[in-house]
Amino acid sequence: SSEQLLPVTAQQRHFEEAEIRNVYVMFISMPHVRVNVSGDKEEDEELFQLLNQIMNATTAELDRFSGHLRQFIVDDKGLVLISTFGLRGSTFAN
C-alpha cells in the first residue's frame, strides 16, 4: 500500500523548525574613518584601499570565528560594521 502524505500546516512547520539559539550581535563603529569621496582620483583611491583592507580583515576574522557580516555601512557618520554569531548555518558541533 502507498502512504499518502498529508499537508503540513504552518503551525506544524513552525514547531518542527523552531529552536532556541544563543545569538550574538557585534557592532563596530569607526567614526574616525573619513568616508567622503572627494573626486580626487588619488585621494579617493586611498579611501577605497582602506575600506577594502578593513573589509578583508573583518571577513578573515569572521571566518575564523564562524561569524557572518550583516552590514558594512559607510555614511556621513563614518563606518559601521554589524556582525552576528550563532545564527543557523554558522554553528558547528563542539
Side-chain angles (χ1 to χ4, degrees):
S1 74
S2 64
E3 293 183 20
Q4 185 176 10
L5 296 176
L6 299 175
V8 177
T9 66
Q11 185 177 16
Q12 287 171 319
R13 187 171 39 252
H14 173 74
F15 285 129
E16 291 171 1
E17 295 177 356
E19 59 187 341
I20 297 175
R21 305 183 147 266
N22 289 323
V23 175
Y24 301 91
V25 179
M26 178 175 65
F27 297 87
I28 300 174
S29 176
M30 298 181 179
H32 61 282
V33 176
R34 183 197 63 79
V35 292
N36 297 326
V37 177
S38 68
D40 178 86
K41 192 170 185 171
E42 286 183 23
E43 192 174 314
D44 291 345
E45 183 63 28
E46 288 178 26
L47 171 62
F48 299 147
Q49 289 294 325
L50 174 62
L51 293 173
N52 192 47
Q53 290 170 1
I54 292 169
M55 175 64 92
N56 289 337
T58 300
T59 55
E61 292 304 307
L62 289 173
D63 284 346
R64 182 174 157 207
F65 293 101
S66 302
H68 289 167
L69 181 61
R70 170 70 177 88
Q71 288 183 318
F72 186 97
I73 306 165
V74 179
D75 63 15
D76 61 336
K77 295 177 182 77
L79 173 63
V80 176
L81 304 167
I82 303 173
S83 302
T84 60
F85 299 87
L87 291 176
R88 181 184 289 210
S90 65
T91 58
F92 304 93
N94 291 336

